[in-house]
Amino acid sequence: MTTIAVLGNGRVGGSLATALTRAGHEVTVADRSPGSAAHAARTARIVINATPGEGSLERLGALHEELRDKILVDVSNATVDGPDGLPADLLYPGSSLAEQLQESLPETRVVKTLNTMLFSVMTAPATLTQAPSAFLSGEDPQAKQTVRELLIDLGWRNEWITDLGGIRTARATEAAILFVPHVIRSSGFAPFALSIAR
């Protein structure tokens, strides 16, 4: 059992919190009330960023002390949305939200994952008709191993998880968000994920 704080109580944060609780972890979900995020982060070993990506850097940067020596699992994508509300461009072209968070929080171990799929797949990968891929980006091997174990708790098979390397590799997976609006317009909101076929 691990103590986990989920920052963000929308569809992504809510589904992750429910699944991780079901897997036996002690999970706290922070809402938007003053001090909620700080309290949740302070008492957890692992913090999951499921806040909207365009405001994540400011929100989490304010939790510098609370996130010290913690693992921060970043599942958000920082995008500029188009008129239809779907991602139209990257907020940090030539970089990534994960890199910006790691730079802002040097004493926190940031791991990027679960950002290349529709939110429902994060906690139910086996429901797809073919094996999906989950990617890990981060500087700390031990932190990535801990996150890998969390993914396995969520139903991901070890062979579906690919460690891409350092935090800089997150710019590749974050750029994959630009596929999403086109896939949704083509096929609707049916669950999907990127998959590396071998």
Side-chain angles (χ1 to χ4, degrees):
M1 185 198 77
T2 302
T3 53
I4 300 170
V6 179
L7 307 186
N9 60 349
R11 292 180 300 181
V12 173
S15 61
L16 285 170
T18 298
L20 289 166
T21 299
R22 195 181 300 126
H25 298 287
E26 183 181 323
V27 182
T28 302
V29 180
D31 57 26
R32 291 180 175 271
S33 62
S36 177
H39 175 73
R42 190 180 300 113
T43 57
R45 176 175 173 240
I46 298 172
V47 178
I48 298 175
N49 174 38
T51 66
E54 68 274 11
S56 291
L57 188 58
E58 182 180 358
R59 286 189 188 97
L60 274 70
L63 302 175
H64 189 275
E65 288 303 316
E66 291 84 357
L67 292 171
R68 185 191 303 273
D69 297 326
K70 305 288 175 73
I71 296 173
L72 176 62
V73 184
D74 180 32
V75 302
S76 294
N77 289 306
T79 60
V80 178
D81 290 344
D84 58 0
L86 294 174
D89 210 344
L90 301 175
L91 189 59
Y92 304 110
S95 184
S96 65
L97 172 59
E99 288 173 88
Q100 297 294 316
L101 288 169
Q102 187 63 85
E103 185 176 342
S104 176
L105 301 163
E107 295 174 335
T108 301
R109 294 173 288 166
V110 178
V111 179
K112 188 79 178 192
T113 193
L114 294 180
N115 63 311
T116 56
M117 61 203 68
L118 206 61
F119 79 94
S120 58
V121 179
M122 295 178 176
T123 57
T127 59
L128 296 182
T129 57
Q130 63 192 57
S133 297
F135 304 100
L136 300 172
S137 299
E139 297 301 321
D140 188 292
Q142 187 175 3
K144 286 191 286 187
Q145 179 58 35
T146 297
V147 174
R148 179 184 291 270
E149 291 163 9
L150 275 189
L151 295 185
I152 291 170
D153 286 346
L154 290 172
W156 290 85
R157 295 184 186 174
N158 191 53
E159 62 268 25
W160 296 350
I161 305 168
T162 300
D163 184 344
L164 296 178
I167 200 69
R168 185 182 172 94
T169 63
R171 65 182 62 180
T173 60
E174 288 191 29
I177 190 67
L178 299 180
F179 274 104
V180 170
H182 308 298
V183 172
I184 289 173
R185 291 185 193 111
S186 171
S187 309
F189 275 92
F192 70 89
L194 291 190
S195 179
I196 302 298
R198 291 189 171 90

